[in-house]
Amino acid sequence: MMKNLRKTSSSRSHPGWRIPWVIMTMGVLLCLYVITATHLSSAIKETKYDEFQRKLAKNLAEEEFIKTENNREKKRIETRVQKEYEFQQQNPEEFYWDRSNLTIAPKPHLFLHVPKTGGSTLGQFFKRNEGSKKFVHVWSHPSLQSMDKVTSKDTVFGHFRYGLHFYFNRSCSYLTMLRDPVDRVVSHYYYHLQNRKDPGHAFAKNRTFEQWINDSPAAHNEQTRMLSGIKSHDFPDQNDLDIAVHHMKTFVYVGLSEKFHESLVMLKYIAGTNILRYRSINKGTKRPPKAEVSPEIIQKIREMNWADEILYKLGKEIFEQQRNIMPAEFASEVVELDKLYAKRNSTKSGTTNATSTTPSTLSTPSTPTTLSTLPRTFTKPSEPSPRTISTSPSKLSPTTISSSSFGPSPTTTSKSPSEPAPTTISSPSEESSTTTTTISLPTTTISSPTTTISLPTTTISSPTTTISLP
């Protein structure tokens, strides 16, 4: 009994038996750690997810509130625009801009950019003149939250509606640019197709041009809608047209996309811009020209944009009034601007005005060709020359002319037997000798399709040889 106890105590005192227990204990602790960490991580994730859901719901509620407030504000501004129009109709001429005298319009300048009227290019033009600190470009009507930033600038440019001046505590000047309604609608549709990031790309991609004209509000009197400030997503009516006409008469500047350089120079004298340089942006490259659009579709666009047609006609009249009060140097500045950008465009396209020094070649019988730089030579018969004169004491061969010397054309012309006698060589001293002479003749004109070669009568004298050519 005592021996067995001694054996047991001695075996436990040995360090080897503790290793399995240590490993087992560490495994149990590791499992407990993993289980605890898993549960803790799940709890943390659930907490974060709940917090994210609360924030998302809060943000959605705020966005919905902001959207509701902006919609209410839009309706409030539309009502205010209508009341302003009714009030100004009591004496409308008092509010019209005086176009009989040339004056610089007061700031802030509100440039109402109708889509696809060349305004984006003018946006960069204004930014270059005003500087980024005094200029802001908005891509939609500003929200109430961003109105403080907008009203602090001297020039506001973008796709906003009429009525933005209500948020300013100072007198504002409206400016805009119009375009022929058919050109604008065609350009607008193909711009949507060309730019995948454009909000209207998906809508236009799934429709033909004619379907888009029927379904899209942007194809129905877009210029009238934006200038009136009423019914921003509906189809304008006669009341909207009357309001837009009244507003445009109060504008300090109306430009035309078709007369872009004249419109640009006008801004110098109306808006006080000095840098007459611009860079074309947002220019559509895939739209077909107006001439390729079917007459039926053009007529349909004009009928659906009846209000824009009237507004554009008035815009051209206002443009002529503005041009009539321009100073004497206005015309020369427009010409200089035309020349500058015509030169830039020709440089980009790789065209030059230098005349080519390469001689013309005979190409087709229907096109007359003038050979002005090639010499006419007679060489030895042994050389590969296209024109050869060979003499013998008994019989002289007729002159043969191959057009291969004039270019790559395969046409060959020879003197027919009905023409004057072939060239002969007479020698007063030695009849048996053969003489070869190289002759340089003046420029010869060959006219197609008959390919007639006319050679002048030439006499060359040498000590031993005389050559007579008819």
Side-chain angles (χ1 to χ4, degrees):
M1 185 71 178
M2 294 298 295
K3 290 180 180 180
N4 293 334
L5 289 174
R6 289 194 191 99
K7 289 180 180 180
T8 304
S9 59
S10 61
S11 63
R12 288 180 178 177
S13 61
H14 193 274
W17 72 275
R18 298 178 181 176
I19 295 176
W21 287 95
V22 172
I23 295 174
M24 186 181 298
T25 304
M26 292 178 63
V28 172
L29 293 175
L30 182 61
C31 291
L32 291 175
Y33 173 77
V34 171
I35 294 172
T36 304
T38 303
H39 284 285
L40 185 61
S41 177
S42 300
I44 293 173
K45 288 182 179 180
E46 290 178 0
T47 303
K48 289 184 176 181
Y49 180 75
D50 293 340
E51 184 179 357
F52 170 76
Q53 290 292 334
R54 287 193 298 271
K55 288 183 178 180
L56 181 61
K58 183 179 179 181
N59 292 336
L60 291 175
E62 290 179 354
E63 290 179 2
E64 187 66 25
F65 175 78
I66 292 173
K67 184 178 179 180
T68 303
E69 287 297 316
N70 288 329
N71 289 335
R72 290 177 181 176
E73 185 66 16
K74 184 180 72 173
K75 293 180 179 179
R76 187 181 71 84
I77 293 299
E78 289 180 357
T79 303
R80 193 170 176 181
V81 168
Q82 181 70 37
K83 290 182 178 180
E84 180 192 58
Y85 167 72
E86 294 173 356
F87 171 76
Q88 293 180 357
Q89 282 300 298
Q90 299 175 4
N91 190 9
E93 295 183 357
E94 180 182 351
F95 301 94
Y96 293 164
W97 182 253
D98 183 13
R99 304 188 195 280
S100 60
N101 297 315
L102 185 59
T103 56
I104 300 295
K107 294 184 179 181
H109 292 158
L110 308 180
F111 194 101
L112 198 156
H113 174 206
V114 181
K116 305 314 299 173
T117 58
S120 295
T121 301
L122 277 179
Q124 295 295 324
F125 170 79
F126 274 110
K127 186 176 181 179
R128 182 175 295 179
N129 279 274
E130 297 290 339
S132 58
K133 293 183 179 180
K134 297 181 180 181
F135 173 85
V136 62
H137 190 166
V138 295
W139 295 98
S140 61
H141 195 83
S143 62
L144 288 173
Q145 292 71 29
S146 61
M147 200 60 71
D148 292 338
K149 177 183 177 181
V150 171
T151 54
S152 64
K153 305 296 182 179
D154 287 341
T155 301
V156 182
F157 180 93
H159 300 310
F160 55 86
R161 301 181 303 275
Y162 181 89
L164 191 64
H165 64 284
F166 290 130
Y167 298 97
F168 287 81
N169 55 5
R170 44 187 173 156
S171 178
C172 300
S173 299
Y174 275 98
L175 305 88
T176 192
M177 181 170 282
L178 301 181
R179 187 176 183 179
D180 177 74
V182 175
D183 285 335
R184 198 208 65 81
V185 170
V186 174
S187 179
H188 204 168
Y189 171 72
Y190 285 97
Y191 177 78
H192 286 323
L193 290 182
Q194 177 182 338
N195 295 272
R196 297 183 178 180
K197 295 182 180 180
D198 187 83
H201 174 74
F203 185 82
K205 182 181 179 181
N206 299 324
R207 289 168 173 80
T208 62
F209 182 38
E210 191 170 0
Q211 291 174 344
W212 182 82
I213 293 173
N214 295 326
D215 300 340
S216 176
H220 295 76
N221 299 307
E222 180 76 2
Q223 299 177 104
T224 302
R225 180 186 301 106
M226 295 190 68
L227 266 66
S228 67
I230 307 294
K231 297 181 179 179
S232 59
H233 294 289
D234 298 331
F235 301 110
D237 53 17
Q238 183 63 44
N239 180 64
D240 299 333
L241 174 61
D242 295 338
I243 296 175
V245 168
H246 172 74
H247 288 166
M248 196 165 66
K249 291 181 179 180
T250 64
F251 282 17
V252 300
Y253 167 84
V254 177
L256 297 178
S257 298
E258 291 78 8
K259 299 180 180 180
F260 188 75
H261 284 172
E262 290 186 55
S263 302
L264 207 65
V265 178
M266 282 183 185
L267 285 172
K268 175 182 177 181
Y269 299 100
I270 296 177
T273 56
N274 296 318
I275 305 174
L276 297 180
R277 299 290 183 272
Y278 67 92
R279 180 174 59 88
S280 297
I281 59 175
N282 275 354
K283 185 176 181 180
T285 57
K286 295 184 178 180
R287 63 153 289 181
K290 184 179 176 180
E292 296 183 6
V293 182
S294 65
E296 293 79 9
I297 294 182
I298 291 179
Q299 182 61 27
K300 185 176 183 179
I301 294 174
R302 294 198 183 280
E303 291 175 356
M304 300 181 73
N305 290 268
W306 60 273
D308 279 5
E309 289 285 339
I310 299 174
L311 201 67
Y312 181 69
K313 183 178 180 181
L314 176 62
K316 290 193 290 185
E317 295 176 0
I318 294 177
F319 185 84
E320 291 299 325
Q321 295 175 8
Q322 294 172 167
R323 184 159 56 183
N324 291 336
I325 62 174
M326 290 292 115
E329 59 270 19
F330 170 78
S332 60
E333 290 179 341
V334 174
V335 172
E336 290 178 3
L337 201 61
D338 288 339
K339 290 181 179 179
L340 173 64
Y341 283 92
K343 183 177 180 181
R344 288 188 179 183
N345 294 335
S346 63
T347 303
K348 289 181 180 179
S349 60
T351 58
T352 59
N353 294 327
T355 57
S356 176
T357 58
T358 305
S360 303
T361 58
L362 295 175
S363 56
T364 58
S366 61
T367 305
T369 306
T370 302
L371 302 179
S372 58
T373 58
L374 291 176
R376 306 298 184 263
T377 60
F378 294 90
T379 56
K380 294 181 179 181
S382 60
E383 296 178 0
S385 172
R387 304 183 66 183
T388 305
I389 295 180
S390 178
T391 61
S392 64
S394 60
K395 186 177 181 181
L396 299 175
S397 61
T399 303
T400 302
I401 302 175
S402 174
S403 63
S404 61
S405 61
F406 307 138
S409 174
T411 305
T412 302
T413 305
S414 62
K415 299 179 68 176
S416 62
S418 60
E419 295 180 1
T423 303
T424 59
I425 301 176
S426 61
S427 177
S429 58
E430 298 180 2
E431 293 185 357
S432 61
S433 61
T434 301
T435 305
T436 302
T437 306
T438 300
I439 305 172
S440 296
L441 299 177
T443 303
T444 302
T445 301
I446 301 178
S447 59
S448 296
T450 57
T451 317
T452 302
I453 303 177
S454 301
L455 297 176
T457 302
T458 306
T459 302
I460 300 176
S461 299
S462 65
T464 58
T465 306
T466 301
I467 300 176
S468 299
L469 297 177

